[in-house]
Amino acid sequence: MSTSERVRLKSNSLSADSDSGILNEHILLLIFGSIKWDLRVLCLTASLNRKLRAIARRLLWRELCVYRAPRMVTTLANGSPNGRLGGGWHALAKLLFYCSGCESTRHFKTSRAVEGHFAKSSRFSKTSGRSFLSKKCRGDLLYVSDPCEHSMGVDEDDLGIYRGVFKSFMKSKTRTCLIGRRIGFEERVKCPYCGARVWSMTDARLVPKSAGRRLGTGDGGLEYFVCVNGHLHGSCSLFSFQLNNSSDSLTRVGGALFGMV
């Protein structure tokens, strides 16, 4: 056997190996479908080697998003889930399931940093998103999550951390306003989901009062950023109410207030 034939045979063998077993995309789709696209297993799989990481970025993260949030993904992708998204499907997958954590910024101070973590549950809403759009930008479509609540101590308000994503951000009125107002990028803050540069919506004066009302926080008690790919992340102070009375007294008071007694 000649040298060229041996090289060609070895190349064909490697190609066949790459399409078999765990590296076969069809097999991977069947496996993850059978375990209902378990997020932690997918994260572990994508970290094993470069080939699996490439498959995850090209295919698996997209399929995870479609499985877990089909209507939201269809809207964001303009009815074509096989299309591209700003920042990539892996960034959207992280945004869907990961609370970014929080550190003090120029316009929002916290007593301590909160590390990012997987969120136990997440709910995104276009209705919530409208509350974060100024009047000039109300034509945009924005999904925003309910805040992930973190206790900061007995004498402090709770901390709320929220995230969101724009549809077709490159064509949005929000982006047009940010560019038109010549707002510079933040120097110390990057998007926790795609790593891109971000604008401060506080600096841009694009934070409507409806955002504070939606979150249940006072004036100046929130800040959020939007990156060049249309991912939003922010923090706010949440008022904490605690009832220290006994259950019996609470029942009597509640019954009196609501006409039960």
Side-chain angles (χ1 to χ4, degrees):
M1 182 182 294
S2 66
T3 302
S4 61
E5 289 176 335
R6 285 197 298 270
V7 170
R8 186 164 57 251
L9 180 61
K10 183 177 181 180
S11 175
N12 291 337
S13 176
L14 289 173
S15 177
D17 289 341
S18 66
D19 289 334
S20 63
I22 193 64
L23 295 179
N24 185 294
E25 294 181 3
H26 295 293
I27 292 177
L28 284 170
L29 290 174
L30 290 172
I31 291 173
F32 282 104
S34 68
I35 60 174
K36 299 182 179 180
W37 289 92
D38 186 282
L39 178 63
R40 298 179 188 277
V41 175
L42 179 48
C43 289
L44 178 62
T45 301
S47 68
L48 291 177
N49 58 51
R50 286 183 297 176
K51 289 184 177 180
L52 285 170
R53 184 159 55 249
I55 294 174
R57 290 176 72 95
R58 185 178 68 254
L59 175 66
L60 300 182
W61 292 123
R62 182 188 70 202
E63 295 300 320
L64 168 71
C65 294
V66 171
Y67 180 84
R68 292 293 188 92
R71 288 186 294 180
M72 180 177 172
V73 167
T74 299
T75 300
L76 291 174
N78 294 309
S80 177
N82 293 326
R84 285 188 166 188
L85 289 182
W89 287 100
H90 64 289
L92 178 62
K94 185 176 181 180
L95 186 145
L96 288 176
F97 304 105
Y98 191 77
C99 170
S100 63
C102 175
E103 295 182 351
S104 292
T105 60
R106 290 186 297 122
H107 302 294
F108 186 82
K109 303 298 181 183
T110 62
S111 59
R112 60 180 174 84
V114 174
E115 294 184 355
H117 62 90
F118 283 114
K120 292 182 179 179
S121 62
S122 300
R123 181 174 61 184
F124 289 80
S125 167
K126 291 183 289 185
T127 303
S128 296
R130 283 195 290 270
S131 300
F132 289 77
L133 298 171
S134 65
K135 290 183 179 179
K136 293 182 179 180
C137 305
R138 286 291 166 84
D140 293 344
L141 194 154
L142 169 65
Y143 283 94
V144 172
S145 71
D146 291 340
C148 182
E149 300 182 15
H150 299 264
S151 176
M152 301 300 285
V154 177
D155 299 324
E156 296 186 51
D157 291 333
D158 290 345
L159 176 68
I161 303 173
Y162 49 95
R163 58 207 192 272
V165 57
F166 281 84
K167 174 187 177 182
S168 304
F169 182 68
M170 294 297 291
K171 301 177 182 178
S172 68
K173 295 179 180 179
T174 299
R175 181 177 181 274
T176 300
C177 285
L178 289 166
I179 293 175
R181 297 184 182 189
R182 299 183 179 180
I183 304 301
F185 292 116
E186 287 291 296
E187 294 183 0
R188 299 179 57 188
V189 182
K190 294 291 181 65
C191 177
Y193 300 106
C194 66
R197 304 183 75 179
V198 301
W199 290 284
S200 166
M201 301 300 277
T202 303
D203 279 351
R205 297 182 180 180
L206 290 175
V207 178
K209 292 183 178 180
S210 56
R213 290 195 296 267
R214 186 76 187 183
L215 294 167
T217 188
D219 292 338
L222 76 157
E223 182 175 31
Y224 52 95
F225 304 91
V226 174
C227 81
V228 297
N229 290 314
H231 304 134
L232 177 151
H233 76 281
S235 307
C236 66
S237 297
L238 298 174
F239 299 122
S240 178
F241 298 95
Q242 295 184 353
L243 298 174
N244 297 321
N245 301 62
S246 67
S247 58
D248 290 341
S249 61
L250 286 176
T251 300
R252 290 194 296 272
V253 171
L257 287 174
F258 294 104
M260 296 179 184
V261 295

